[in-house]
Amino acid sequence: MRTQVGIIGAGPAGLMLSHLLHRHGIDSVVIESRSREYVEHRLRAGVLEQGSVDLLRDTGLGARLDREGLRHEGIELRFDGESHRVPMTGLTGRAITVYGQQEVVKDMIAARLAAGGTILFEAPAERLSGLDSAPVIHFRYQNRDEELHCDFVVGCDGYHGISRPSVPDGVLTTYERTYPFAWLGVLAAAPPAVDELIYAHHERGFALYSMRSPQISRLYLQVPADEDIADWPDERIWAELRTRLETVPDWTLNEGPVLEKSITPLRSLVVEPMQWQRLYLAGDAVHIVPPTGAKGMNLALADVALLGDAFATWYADGSTDLLDGYSRTALRRVWRAQQFSWWMTSMLHRLNADDPYEAKLQSATLRYVTTSPAYATSLAENYVGLPEV
């Protein structure tokens, strides 16, 4: 098989890149180890920054997003028995849209297939070769060993994929932080009791009230990193959510059947540089953020927006300036998102249950955010996404 750009991974990054390349007249093949059914239904992020929404709309992927996405112009910070709204649109002129990652993926797959694009599902990549001059992706497909020859390889295959480990030892530098807690996430058939997301700081730990549609709520609880989901029957989950969220007068949580629940560890990770020879890395393959700042999918889309322009320039006139500068440019946004996600995580989670001084500092920070227009604007402009970093 032969193509111009070989893409490993059919998540938002890989699919969006293939879509962008198609719009520039550049051929690509996407190789995905999982089935189409799996990638279209795996639950991931659900908050799109303004820039991500604009990208989807500008490239013809915004029709269902505009019909079904939930535009939010603020978030609520709940602490010390009080609730304070941060009016993000009022402070920045921009907003977020709640629209599940699996829905973004469905829209992208439909668009690529309608345009005649090639996505090979259940085709695990096994190794890369020729990255210095003539890249080849070696993979399995329909019980056969296959090779995809290409001009460039883009690894959008996540932390556990083969792309990043294909770079020789000593080339990449990893920066990493592991948090001593995790998120217990719940998808529930319960109409949301709020119109905007609630971030709750509580003595028992952080809680987040989000949603996926007018009928489906998405809720999260901070739990110890080694917690077992088997120890959390539905009744215990709802009781803990009530304790951490029902802290203001005349507000109650809507409950309903739990459709799915899982525990996800929190970590921060950045790998530099994001490219080596003719291999370019994007999304979770090179950076991971705690979900508190809602940056994961947005960073992935920002990465491939840069790559789309860079490949278009190279194929148009042979210029390597944008390709050579990809990692340097992308990392500015990555580290801004890392700092914001770390700050939100540190401000809202119970970091050390035995340290009352720390809890007082967190309350003071939250109080400042909710009373200072300047500090609130800083939170808002990072949350909705900075146009340029």
Side-chain angles (χ1 to χ4, degrees):
M1 300 176 65
R2 179 76 175 87
T3 192
Q4 290 174 296
V5 180
I7 301 170
I8 307 175
L15 292 167
M16 174 55 84
L17 178 58
S18 181
H19 179 67
L20 293 172
L21 294 176
H22 170 71
R23 290 170 59 86
H24 288 296
I26 300 168
D27 188 43
S28 67
V29 171
V30 180
I31 295 173
E32 167 59 48
S33 63
R34 301 281 194 165
S35 68
R36 180 178 179 179
E37 171 75 13
Y38 179 88
V39 300
E40 288 188 339
H41 292 89
R42 57 183 166 189
L43 286 175
R44 292 291 188 272
V47 173
L48 290 168
E49 296 176 353
Q50 183 70 61
S52 298
V53 171
D54 294 343
L55 176 65
L56 292 166
R57 286 175 177 158
D58 292 346
T59 58
L61 295 173
R64 195 161 69 93
L65 165 68
D66 287 336
R67 290 196 309 271
E68 301 177 15
L70 306 175
R71 176 183 165 91
H72 288 191
E73 298 187 351
I75 61 171
E76 188 175 326
L77 297 177
R78 194 167 285 188
F79 63 98
D80 293 347
E82 303 173 11
S83 195
H84 301 265
R85 183 174 184 266
V86 179
M88 297 184 301
T89 303
L91 294 169
T92 69
R94 296 159 70 81
I96 60 165
T97 299
V98 175
Y99 189 64
Q101 176 173 312
Q102 71 274 20
E103 306 305 324
V104 174
V105 166
K106 290 174 187 175
D107 296 343
M108 290 177 174
I109 289 175
R112 291 305 301 124
L113 295 181
T118 302
I119 308 172
L120 303 180
F121 294 102
E122 300 181 82
E126 296 185 335
R127 65 185 179 92
L128 305 177
S129 64
L131 292 174
D132 58 339
S133 57
V136 180
I137 303 174
H138 304 263
F139 65 102
R140 291 282 295 175
Y141 186 59
Q142 296 181 343
N143 297 316
R144 297 193 305 272
D145 291 326
E146 300 283 1
E147 294 181 355
L148 176 62
H149 296 254
C150 40
D151 300 326
F152 301 96
V153 175
V154 181
C156 305
D157 49 347
Y159 180 77
H160 298 290
I162 69 154
S163 298
R164 188 189 64 260
S166 298
V167 179
D169 291 344
V171 173
L172 303 178
T173 301
T174 299
Y175 303 89
E176 187 171 13
R177 170 165 294 180
T178 301
Y179 296 88
F181 42 78
W183 275 17
L184 190 160
V186 172
L187 192 71
V194 291
D195 295 324
E196 297 174 335
L197 278 67
I198 297 175
Y199 285 78
H201 173 69
H202 192 274
E203 63 181 7
R204 292 179 61 85
F206 168 74
L208 171 61
Y209 197 142
S210 182
M211 64 286 294
R212 287 296 179 266
S213 75
Q215 296 78 37
I216 301 295
S217 293
R218 184 75 164 141
L219 308 107
Y220 299 92
L221 288 167
Q222 175 187 349
V223 296
D226 59 353
E227 200 77 347
D228 187 343
I229 193 65
D231 294 332
W232 284 86
D234 296 354
E235 296 78 7
R236 183 186 178 192
I237 292 173
W238 288 116
E240 193 63 32
L241 285 166
R242 287 194 299 271
T243 297
R244 300 187 195 184
L245 289 167
E246 292 182 352
T247 58
V248 296
D250 303 320
W251 188 91
T252 56
L253 181 70
N254 286 345
E255 300 182 22
V258 172
L259 306 176
E260 181 176 313
K261 57 185 175 182
S262 61
I263 291 178
T264 304
L266 267 63
R267 62 190 301 220
S268 300
L269 176 130
V270 181
V271 177
E272 299 183 12
M274 295 168 59
Q275 62 196 90
W276 181 71
Q277 295 184 344
R278 289 188 168 232
L279 170 65
Y280 296 82
L281 303 169
D284 287 357
V286 275
H287 47 71
I288 296 171
V289 288
T292 326
K295 294 297 168 215
M297 175 167 54
N298 295 293
L299 282 178
L301 294 175
D303 288 348
V304 297
L306 293 174
L307 282 174
D309 290 342
F311 285 129
T313 301
W314 188 87
Y315 280 106
D317 59 23
S319 172
T320 64
D321 290 350
L322 294 181
L323 283 175
D324 292 343
Y326 163 65
S327 182
R328 181 177 62 255
T329 303
L331 283 168
R332 288 200 294 267
R333 181 178 292 273
V334 168
W335 278 110
R336 173 91 299 278
Q338 288 283 339
Q339 190 279 333
F340 176 67
S341 299
W342 164 84
W343 177 74
M344 288 282 284
T345 302
S346 301
M347 177 175 65
L348 290 162
H349 290 73
R350 193 68 186 269
L351 304 178
N352 185 346
D354 298 324
D355 188 355
Y357 179 83
E358 183 176 78
K360 290 290 187 180
L361 288 180
Q362 290 173 313
S363 292
T365 302
L366 285 161
R367 182 78 54 195
Y368 188 32
V369 168
T370 54
T371 56
S372 165
Y375 211 178
T377 300
S378 177
L379 185 156
E381 66 183 8
N382 279 277
Y383 199 95
V384 301
L386 294 164
E388 298 293 338
V389 178

